[in-house]
Amino acid sequence: MSNGSSPGLVKALLERGTYFKLGAYAGWNTAGNSAGTVVAQTAVIAAMKMAGRGVNVENQVDFLFYSLLQDYVYSSVVRSELMKKTDKPMNIEHPVEIERILKHEVERELGKIVGDYIVGKANRIWGDTGRETVFTSARVRKARLPWGRLFEADFETEIGLAGVQVEAFNA
């Protein structure tokens, strides 16, 4: 299973503080899936702006954070570690045990990113004008394998945000 984000690209975007300035991001198993996700998210943002409603910063952050978690942390890093712990990655016999390990491994990897690049750092969110968004927290509440296989995982996240007024800005 070789799908997932490009680790070099994601790391560069995080290091430069530009990941959350993106309108959309996806690193799925095929170019079609990734492009479809990005086009759909960008269309939603464009429609909101055309309707004069602007970008919902919290929804935008949720989308990008979930993509970071699913496409990079899980698909590119954690899944290969989980595959070493089971001989049937497409038919998990003991999902509760693997899901416990999944949550632990995702939290470990995500903790590195959150501490280094996200929490406490001011991020300008794409489409948001007049403020920077500071992450006060970011964590995984639940992790599960919805289909009993390692190909995909599902997460419930909790993100704390605080807005800080700044001069007007356009991405």
Side-chain angles (χ1 to χ4, degrees):
M1 292 182 219
S2 61
N3 64 332
S5 296
S6 163
L9 174 62
V10 172
K11 186 174 181 186
L13 290 167
L14 289 168
E15 285 175 348
R16 289 174 176 79
T18 55
Y19 180 82
F20 288 97
K21 288 182 186 177
L22 298 175
Y25 179 82
W28 286 59
N29 58 331
T30 67
N33 286 347
S34 295
T37 299
V38 169
V39 167
Q41 178 66 8
T42 304
V44 167
I45 292 169
M48 297 284 288
K49 290 185 100 172
M50 287 174 55
R53 293 172 58 193
V55 175
N56 179 306
V57 172
E58 290 76 15
N59 288 345
Q60 182 67 7
V61 168
D62 283 346
F63 176 84
L64 289 169
F65 188 76
Y66 193 86
S67 293
L68 177 70
L69 180 60
Q70 178 69 260
D71 301 345
Y72 175 64
V73 174
Y74 177 68
S75 294
S76 295
V77 181
V78 171
R79 184 173 47 212
S80 62
E81 291 301 312
L82 289 178
M83 289 182 72
K84 296 174 188 173
K85 297 179 185 326
T86 182
D87 58 349
K88 296 180 182 177
M90 298 305 279
N91 185 17
I92 304 297
E93 292 179 5
H94 304 289
V96 173
E97 177 63 17
I98 293 294
E99 286 176 350
R100 185 186 61 74
I101 296 168
L102 165 68
K103 186 169 188 297
H104 173 77
E105 292 295 319
V106 165
E107 286 175 338
R108 185 178 58 78
E109 285 299 319
L110 185 62
K112 295 176 195 174
I113 295 168
V114 167
D116 290 346
Y117 305 113
I118 298 177
V119 170
K121 310 290 191 282
N123 289 275
R124 291 196 174 187
I125 308 303
W126 187 88
D128 190 23
T129 58
R131 78 175 187 171
E132 289 184 329
T133 299
V134 177
F135 287 78
T136 57
S137 64
R139 71 181 192 97
V140 175
R141 288 191 336 207
K142 287 185 181 179
R144 65 187 193 98
L145 301 169
W147 306 109
R149 60 186 187 178
L150 294 181
F151 191 72
E152 61 274 303
D154 188 34
F155 305 97
E156 286 183 23
T157 61
E158 185 175 294
I159 302 168
L161 301 173
V164 180
Q165 291 302 121
V166 294
E167 73 282 350
F169 142 124
N170 289 315

